[in-house]
Amino acid sequence: MPRRQDIPRTSMFTSLIKWMALGLTSSAAMVSFLSDSDAIGLFGWFASEGLSLSDYVVRDVRLAPAADTTYAIGDSVHLAATVTDKRGSAIFGATVVWSSLDPTVASVDSSGHIVTRGPGRVGIVAQVREYADTAWLTSSQRLAGIKIDIDSSFAVPEQEQRTLFAMAVDARRHEILGEPVTWTSSDQSVLHIDSLGTATGKVPGRVTVTASARAFQASAEIRVVPAAGGIALVGQTQRGPAGMALREPIAVRVWTRGGTPLENALVRFYPLYEHGTVEETEVRSDEQGVATTRWVLGPDPGHQSLRVSVEGADTTLLIGAEADPHPENFSVTHGHDSLSGRFGTRLAEVIVIEATDSLGRIRPDIPVVWTARNGGSVEPLDVRTDSLGQARARWILGAKAGRQYLEAVVGNPRTIPPLVISAMAEPGQVSRAEIVSGNKQRGMVGKSLSKAVVARALDEHGNAVPGATLTVTTEDGSVPERDYVTDAAGKVAVAWTLGRGAGNQQLSIRIEGVKAPLTASATAMPRGAANIEFVNPPASGTAGQPLARRVVARVTDAYGNPVSDRQVFFSGPAGIVNPQRAMSDGEGLVTTTWTLGSRRGPSWLQASVEGTKLKTIMRIEVK
């Protein structure tokens, strides 16, 4: 074999040309091989190895269509990606990576299938290695109708508000944001609805509501239903013996918010704590809105409560009943033996009563009614017995002195007798006095009056004041010397002996604490005639002539008091007396005229009192 250096240059050039032709042929074959590898399934093998031979010859990617538009959320578009090599030949089997520049507007899968997710404009990118193309998609929504979100059972209670929801939608029933929807009601007096969908129930009934957006409308039927607005007791609060059923059923009426009775409302009755039982706990109201049940009170006396509620109403009703104690098993006591105080004032001591049963157990929560008699008043500190079974009050005595009474009724006044408490109302200070009896009597001078003079000491409210000291004085006559003190009735009796002078006499009574004295009067009558005498008789007269002045005689008693209405006789040995008899006047005086006889010398005239031995003689010298 010849050595290399021995080969001619022409032969070497020829060999080089041959080797280059072989390389070019091999490269073309490789390209052809890569181009046809998909046909013979080699890409699947490369893919299983994480390789794609086609990706290495890709030089361009083109999408079709380059731009598109949709009109509803959920619409889909399919893009076609054309992958070519540097010669513009299509390459199949290249790994195309699809992506959305804004997934909230549209999403794309690995096959180029696009689904719109929201309104907007989005770029869809197809990429092989560093080669990519972008197609632009406009996702818009075209109004296609109205969707109302109301089911068939939807209702609006009267006098309540509900918000109705409706939306403008595209062809695929997706909401179009920003598209305004307005509302109307077929009868605003039944259901009032504003343009934004706030519905207010007015009165029970049915209406049609309509939602509108541009030329599109949708309607739904709405019911306005009665709603429980309140509950009230029918009749009066009851009372009955503890542990027993009340005489009348418990009846309540359910009202709608519009003020009409609500039929078929579910009413629930629940006794609180241990306050008995009810015959039915759940009752439907009748056509008048009334529900009734019977209540058996609990065994303990006192206030008991029954709670009543209505389905659909926010408020509840508490019904009270008074469970009365049984008289044979109940007693009320107090510990006040002697109470006293000034009339019209509050007693210093608080009045306390206690309620127990026959076993001595305390009875709390029993109602107490206080009543002050005799014009007094009471300030209840407790209107029910407390946890110790006690109740308290302050007693203000009436304005009259003397014994007064306070009554406390614990429980039912028809079955439980009142507890009576007494107190002595003492009078106030003496402010005045009065004559009760014995004033303005008539009596004989020097004699005691037939009746004592009775005085009474009084306070400012006219109450008799016992124990008041009196001072008794008189200028006429006399009274016994002793201490004058008013008795329990505020009185004092004074025996009065009249003085010797006939006429008006006075007795003075002064009471300690009273400035002005009290005065009693009496008329002193003279005693019987005891004396008769001539008053200023003349010493002489002219014979046969009447005396120059009338003859006057006076009749008096033993004390010299004139005695009236006594008949006096005049007689003498000579002359004429006219009249011969006359009655004494109020001054005890009797007058007559005496015409003297014709014989001169001494003469006389006698005056005598009828029915007595009293007489007197007047002597005169006749000239």
Side-chain angles (χ1 to χ4, degrees):
M1 182 173 186
R3 291 179 294 175
R4 183 174 186 144
Q5 60 270 26
D6 297 329
I7 298 174
R9 290 183 178 272
T10 303
S11 299
M12 291 179 63
F13 183 77
T14 303
S15 297
L16 179 60
I17 294 301
K18 290 180 180 180
W19 279 105
M20 290 177 63
L22 178 61
L24 290 172
T25 304
S26 299
S27 297
M30 179 61 72
V31 171
S32 178
F33 172 78
L34 291 174
S35 301
D36 297 336
S37 61
D38 186 55
I40 63 176
L42 290 179
F43 271 96
W45 177 82
F46 279 107
S48 66
E49 296 297 320
L51 300 173
S52 176
L53 294 176
S54 300
D55 293 348
Y56 292 99
V57 297
V58 173
R59 293 296 181 271
D60 193 17
V61 178
R62 290 286 183 267
L63 290 177
D68 206 347
T69 301
T70 61
Y71 297 100
I73 303 300
D75 279 356
S76 61
V77 175
H78 189 83
L79 295 180
T82 301
V83 181
T84 60
D85 60 16
K86 66 179 181 179
R87 295 177 299 172
S89 300
I91 298 175
F92 300 97
T95 304
V96 180
V97 178
W98 295 88
S99 63
S100 170
L101 296 180
D102 189 350
T104 62
V105 176
S107 61
V108 62
D109 63 13
S110 59
S111 67
H113 184 75
I114 303 169
V115 178
T116 57
R117 304 299 180 187
R121 188 169 184 269
V122 63
I124 304 298
V125 179
Q127 183 173 357
V128 178
R129 288 175 39 225
E130 68 273 21
Y131 302 100
D133 191 17
T134 302
W136 292 94
L137 176 67
T138 300
S139 175
S140 63
Q141 290 179 281
R142 181 179 292 168
L143 180 62
I146 305 294
K147 181 181 178 181
I148 296 179
D149 189 13
I150 299 175
D151 59 31
S152 59
S153 62
F154 185 81
V156 179
E158 60 178 326
Q159 297 186 12
E160 284 193 19
Q161 286 188 343
R162 295 288 188 271
T163 300
L164 306 184
F165 295 96
M167 62 186 75
V169 294
D170 56 23
R172 293 184 179 273
R173 309 296 287 174
H174 290 286
E175 181 180 6
I176 301 176
L177 298 177
E179 183 70 44
V181 176
T182 58
W183 290 88
T184 58
S185 169
S186 62
D187 190 342
Q188 292 277 26
S189 65
V190 175
L191 180 77
H192 180 274
I193 188 168
D194 63 18
S195 61
L196 299 178
T198 302
T200 304
K202 294 297 186 180
V203 295
R206 291 178 180 269
V207 298
T208 299
V209 293
T210 301
S212 303
R214 287 190 266 175
F216 293 90
Q217 290 184 338
S219 298
E221 188 175 77
I222 301 291
R223 292 181 302 121
V224 177
V225 296
I231 185 169
L233 176 67
V234 178
Q236 301 296 319
T237 301
Q238 299 185 60
R239 70 187 310 160
M244 305 292 289
L246 293 175
R247 178 189 296 182
E248 300 294 333
I250 298 297
V252 296
R253 175 173 280 111
V254 183
W255 300 95
T256 67
R257 291 171 183 170
T260 59
L262 179 59
E263 184 179 2
N264 202 40
L266 182 60
V267 182
R268 296 183 176 92
F269 299 88
Y270 296 106
L272 298 182
Y273 314 112
E274 297 181 359
H275 294 172
T277 59
V278 291
E279 190 176 77
E280 294 182 83
T281 58
E282 293 187 351
V283 182
R284 291 282 181 180
S285 59
D286 60 17
E287 64 276 6
Q288 300 299 320
V290 176
T292 61
T293 190
R294 282 200 167 272
W295 184 8
V296 178
L297 298 175
D300 294 327
H303 181 78
Q304 300 195 15
S305 298
L306 179 69
R307 185 179 66 188
V308 185
S309 62
V310 182
E311 188 176 47
D314 296 333
T315 59
T316 60
L317 174 67
L318 280 181
I319 298 176
E322 200 64 57
D324 295 323
H326 297 273
E328 66 276 6
N329 189 32
F330 188 70
S331 66
V332 183
T333 57
H334 71 91
H336 305 285
D337 293 332
S338 59
L339 294 169
S340 63
R342 185 180 174 184
F343 75 94
T345 62
R346 176 190 294 150
L347 291 180
E349 189 172 357
V350 175
I351 307 302
V352 181
I353 61 175
E354 185 177 71
T356 58
D357 63 12
S358 58
L359 298 179
R361 295 176 299 185
I362 60 175
R363 282 304 181 190
D365 199 35
I366 309 298
V368 181
V369 177
W370 304 87
T371 305
R373 304 299 184 189
N374 312 103
S377 61
V378 62
E379 297 174 350
L381 301 180
D382 300 297
V383 295
R384 300 178 89 73
T385 55
D386 61 14
S387 59
L388 299 177
Q390 296 180 342
R392 299 163 182 81
R394 287 195 173 276
W395 185 6
I396 301 173
L397 298 174
K400 295 295 183 182
R403 189 153 297 276
Q404 298 189 20
Y405 300 93
L406 175 69
E407 293 183 357
V409 177
V410 184
N412 192 337
R414 295 183 177 180
T415 57
I416 305 296
L419 176 69
V420 179
I421 305 170
S422 67
M424 180 59 70
E426 300 172 349
Q429 298 296 322
V430 178
S431 63
R432 62 188 179 89
E434 64 180 7
I435 300 295
V436 178
S437 61
N439 192 23
K440 297 183 179 180
Q441 295 185 67
R442 297 172 70 88
M444 300 291 289
V445 292
K447 297 281 187 180
S448 296
L449 292 174
S450 60
K451 297 179 181 179
V453 176
V454 179
R456 178 166 55 192
L458 303 171
D459 63 17
E460 59 182 335
H461 288 280
N463 296 303
V465 181
T469 301
L470 285 73
T471 301
V472 183
T473 58
T474 179
E475 295 180 358
D476 303 297
S478 62
V479 294
E481 294 183 2
R482 66 179 182 86
D483 293 331
Y484 291 95
V485 179
T486 55
D487 59 16
K491 297 179 180 179
V492 67
V494 179
W496 183 11
T497 299
L498 296 176
R500 294 181 178 184
N504 185 56
Q505 298 190 18
Q506 290 187 337
L507 182 73
S508 178
I509 302 175
R510 186 177 293 277
I511 300 179
E512 183 179 3
V514 180
K515 293 182 179 181
L518 196 63
T519 300
S521 63
T523 300
M525 305 297 296
R527 294 189 179 187
N531 298 293
I532 186 170
E533 61 181 350
F534 285 103
V535 178
N536 296 322
S540 62
T542 303
Q545 296 295 320
L547 291 174
R549 61 177 182 271
R550 295 176 67 87
V551 176
V552 179
R554 176 185 288 119
V555 181
T556 60
D557 63 9
Y559 299 112
N561 297 302
V563 178
S564 62
D565 297 327
R566 297 306 302 266
Q567 186 163 254
V568 176
F569 293 92
F570 295 97
S571 61
I576 300 171
V577 177
N578 185 29
Q580 293 181 338
R581 64 180 65 187
M583 302 294 291
S584 59
D585 61 14
E587 298 297 323
L589 301 176
V590 181
T591 61
T592 189
T593 60
W594 183 17
T595 301
L596 298 176
S598 57
R599 186 177 175 179
R600 293 179 174 85
S603 185
W604 53 271
L605 180 66
Q606 176 179 289
S608 60
V609 179
E610 180 184 27
T612 68
K613 295 180 180 182
L614 298 176
K615 59 182 178 180
T616 185
I617 295 176
M618 180 181 72
R619 298 185 184 278
I620 192 170
E621 185 68 29
V622 180
K623 296 180 180 180

